[in-house]
Amino acid sequence: MTVNGKEPMVHAVCVPFAAQGHITPMLQLAKFLNSKGIYITFVNTQHNHHCMLSSNGPDSLKGTSSFRFETFPDGLPPSNANGFRDVFPLLLSLRVNCPQPFMELLYRINDPSTGSPPITLIISDIHMPFARDVARMFGDCPLVLFYPPSPCSFLAYAHLDNLLDKDILPFKGPDFMSDGSLNKKPENLAPSMKGIQLKDFPSFIRSTDKDHPLFKYMRDLVERAYGVPLIFNTFKALDQEILNDISNLLVSSPIYTIGPLHCLANNLAQDNTELGSLGCNLWKEDIKTLEWLDSKEPNSVLYVSFGTTLFMTNEQLIEFSWGLANSKYPFLWIIRPDMVIGGGSSIIPPEFLDEVKDRGMLSSWCAQEKVLNHPSVKVYLSHSGWNSTLESISSGVPLICWPSYADQPINCWYSCEKLGVGLEMEGITRRDVEEIITEAMDSKKGKEIKKRTMEWKSLVKEAISLRGSSTLECDRFMNYLLSLKDQNNISN
Ligand code: UDP
């Protein structure tokens, strides 16, 4: 078997965490590595594999001669849900039920009769709790961890014990969400976190129980990174101070800043090539969204999407809808079929649909990168997922941030306070929504965030250019992979 006509030097098994926001950047990393001559086995959970086939067609995961897809069970009961597994049962199941099937899969892939080269290393999402142990048991297979969310969220997790030691956490009393506790600014954190409030930390700190399982989860996640090469999806200029602080904490872990991955992957593997066309969407893309954008004036449309795991109540949906309608701007709004708790887009008031019929489009899933690069799109109202943040910055589209949980609050803080590319939407009454949209689309502040975003966009271009920081980091990573070539002594 060859990659780009040459003997592959390395066979990497890539295992993303089983959620879209983790699968997509891992796939981009894998495609990028494959374009550099690395043989790839990309491993999805069986549940997600089936969702992808049903969204994208039965041939969509056939792979190429040097890029194969494999699966293992996630240990949860079968379900008909369209792609979404509840995150917390999934995390538990991955820890308890998956080490064995994953190990068996590695032995199966490593069998010479499969026709693939011997496994050289495992690249695992850091959120896969079993990867480190399985790699050790699998003949001490080299392991690289990939952290797809924002570097600032990793740094925040690494501060958990600091906050517990100072008795800032856990929160005191049942009203901590509303009694001002979240506005506290902890002192003596890493320099790059200066000015941060507790409300900006990842939502997992929001507990009054010092033994909350999520505290353990965050601690374990950081500990897994000690002494292991770690990849972040970012570029040096974007996260320099944060990365310095992380390096000071993880002195024994080589850190590679390889990003934005979607830009690197696009550079090397265009859509119309065999490699470029490989995709892992859990939902089916609606191409009408792009046609609709074609019919709109340049720089006129508000794009709205809350990512893949955020849920809204029906009340929030209705308030949001009317805020959007009252702002009077053209908009494209992505509403996943499972996004509204207890319902779907069918709950959207018919009067709203009537009001916006000439200027709004609703869809359940789009090609977001293409949407953000469309000349008609002016602002992105987002949940502040890290992939979405990177995609928006790389396209020069400023953000309105409405974070909900996990790393979203700290991404919002980073976007608005540190990078200057966003405005935070603090409430979700129709008035809040209308006001923030108007501010971002048409005000001095809106112009300022647009200007900053365009500056970051050119820094992205620089980072992925021939001598750019991310290109050099990729070279450094490839040198590391080359050094593994001769260490391959994993037996069957
Ligand atoms: N996405 C997409 N089409 C959509 C909505 C989202 O392709 O209609 C993609 C988006 O481009 C991003 C990912 O889904 O790559 C969401 O990841 P992110 O980290 O922003 O948020 P998460 O959903 O993981 O919280």
Side-chain angles (χ1 to χ4, degrees):
M1 75 305 298
T2 58
V3 184
N4 302 338
K6 295 189 196 131
E7 276 298 300
M9 54 180 191
V10 169
H11 175 178
V13 175
C14 297
V15 52
F17 178 70
Q20 186 73 63
H22 293 244
I23 297 166
T24 303
M26 180 68 96
L27 184 72
Q28 289 156 349
L29 176 65
K31 282 161 92 161
F32 178 77
L33 294 176
N34 186 248
S35 75
K36 297 276 186 188
I38 309 288
Y39 188 99
I40 299 287
T41 300
F42 196 88
V43 186
N44 285 308
T45 61
Q46 280 169 6
H47 171 83
N48 283 345
H49 187 85
H50 290 131
C51 292
M52 288 164 194
L53 292 179
S54 89
S55 295
N56 309 311
D59 292 339
S60 58
L61 295 173
K62 283 211 161 127
T64 73
S65 58
S66 61
F67 195 118
R68 298 192 337 180
F69 288 96
E70 287 284 351
T71 66
F72 69 102
D74 64 16
L76 292 173
S79 87
N80 295 324
N82 50 344
F84 191 75
R85 290 288 217 200
D86 200 359
V87 171
F88 297 110
L90 177 63
L91 280 170
L92 184 66
S93 182
L94 287 171
R95 186 183 2 238
V96 176
N97 299 322
C98 296
Q100 185 64 27
F102 186 65
M103 181 71 131
E104 285 163 11
L105 175 69
L106 291 179
Y107 276 108
R108 185 159 59 73
I109 299 170
N110 211 35
D111 187 324
S113 69
T114 59
S116 41
I119 296 170
T120 325
L121 91 153
I122 298 168
I123 304 181
S124 169
D125 193 310
I126 199 169
H127 296 82
M128 292 306 242
F130 53 80
R132 211 174 157 148
D133 288 343
V134 169
R136 199 179 46 242
M137 288 186 288
F138 188 64
D140 266 332
C141 183
L143 174 71
V144 171
L145 291 175
F146 175 41
Y147 187 81
S150 55
C152 56
S153 65
F154 183 89
L155 190 59
Y157 294 152
H159 275 78
L160 176 70
D161 283 332
N162 180 325
L163 298 176
L164 286 164
D165 289 347
K166 290 189 184 133
D167 203 26
I168 294 171
L169 291 181
F171 287 101
K172 317 285 178 287
D175 299 326
F176 74 89
M177 289 293 289
S178 55
D179 67 5
S181 303
L182 287 175
N183 299 113
K184 191 176 169 74
K185 287 187 185 172
E187 286 169 10
N188 300 324
L189 303 177
S192 59
M193 299 177 87
K194 196 162 185 274
I196 196 169
Q197 299 176 41
L198 291 175
K199 78 172 179 62
D200 304 318
F201 273 73
S203 63
F204 300 152
I205 67 159
R206 295 180 187 179
S207 172
T208 52
D209 173 7
K210 73 175 176 25
D211 298 318
H212 195 283
L214 280 172
F215 287 4
K216 177 169 163 41
Y217 179 75
M218 289 186 269
R219 197 175 287 121
D220 287 352
L221 184 139
V222 173
E223 275 172 13
R224 256 177 246 143
Y226 286 118
V228 180
L230 186 59
I231 299 177
F232 285 106
N233 183 11
T234 186
F235 58 101
K236 283 193 172 163
L238 193 76
D239 273 305
Q240 189 62 69
E241 286 184 39
I242 299 271
L243 292 164
N244 288 346
D245 288 337
I246 294 176
S247 303
N248 288 337
L249 289 170
L250 298 180
V251 279
S252 60
S253 312
I255 290 177
Y256 298 94
T257 48
I258 304 184
L261 277 164
H262 68 284
C263 298
L264 288 165
N266 291 346
N267 254 5
L268 285 156
Q270 300 299 322
D271 274 3
N272 56 1
T273 61
E274 199 186 22
L275 178 62
S277 65
L278 297 180
C280 276
N281 267 334
L282 293 169
W283 292 275
K284 191 173 170 57
E285 276 174 13
D286 174 3
I287 51 164
K288 290 208 193 74
T289 51
L290 295 169
E291 288 162 18
W292 182 84
L293 286 172
D294 288 342
S295 72
K296 295 289 164 259
E297 295 288 317
N299 217 22
S300 66
V301 173
L302 177 75
Y303 169 59
V304 183
S305 169
F306 301 126
T308 57
T309 60
L310 185 144
F311 294 95
M312 286 176 118
T313 61
N314 198 28
E315 290 70 37
Q316 288 177 323
L317 181 92
I318 289 172
E319 282 302 297
F320 185 80
S321 308
W322 284 114
L324 197 52
N326 296 345
S327 75
K328 307 283 184 217
Y329 293 99
F331 65 85
L332 166 61
W333 182 10
I334 305 300
I335 307 184
R336 293 186 329 272
D338 60 351
M339 193 181 86
V340 183
I341 299 165
S345 50
S346 56
I347 316 183
I348 292 191
E351 311 81 52
F352 163 79
L353 295 176
D354 197 40
E355 164 81 21
V356 300
K357 64 178 182 303
D358 297 328
R359 64 172 187 280
M361 176 168 192
L362 305 185
S363 174
S364 57
W365 188 256
C366 69
Q368 181 167 296
E369 264 183 74
K370 289 193 178 125
V371 164
L372 286 169
N373 279 302
H374 195 286
S376 297
V377 171
K378 183 168 187 182
V379 171
Y380 173 17
L381 198 165
S382 171
H383 65 305
S384 287
W386 187 239
N387 293 296
S388 296
T389 304
L390 286 176
E391 288 160 17
S392 213
I393 291 172
S394 314
S395 314
V397 176
L399 293 151
I400 298 172
C401 303
W402 187 56
S404 167
Y405 83 115
D407 63 330
Q408 296 161 15
I410 198 163
N411 299 344
C412 166
W413 170 75
Y414 203 64
S415 301
C416 301
E417 302 298 324
K418 296 283 176 173
L419 303 177
V421 298
L423 301 178
E424 181 173 2
M425 183 168 94
E426 291 183 19
I428 195 172
T429 64
R430 59 192 70 191
R431 188 147 183 192
D432 295 326
V433 176
E434 181 188 342
E435 277 178 8
I436 196 83
I437 293 176
T438 311
E439 192 173 6
M441 295 288 282
D442 263 319
S443 76
K444 194 162 163 250
K445 223 158 175 193
K447 287 202 178 77
E448 279 166 21
I449 57 170
K450 173 71 184 178
K451 184 166 169 277
R452 285 299 287 144
T453 314
M454 292 306 286
E455 287 163 9
W456 283 115
K457 180 181 174 178
S458 44
L459 289 172
V460 170
K461 225 167 147 191
E462 207 174 299
I464 61 166
S465 66
L466 205 57
R467 302 295 303 155
S469 68
S470 287
T471 312
L472 296 178
E473 283 287 277
C474 292
D475 292 347
R476 200 164 67 84
F477 187 59
M478 288 303 292
N479 286 339
Y480 163 69
L481 296 186
L482 265 175
S483 76
L484 298 175
K485 185 182 166 195
D486 301 322
Q487 295 173 23
N488 184 14
N489 53 5
I490 300 154
S491 56
N492 287 295

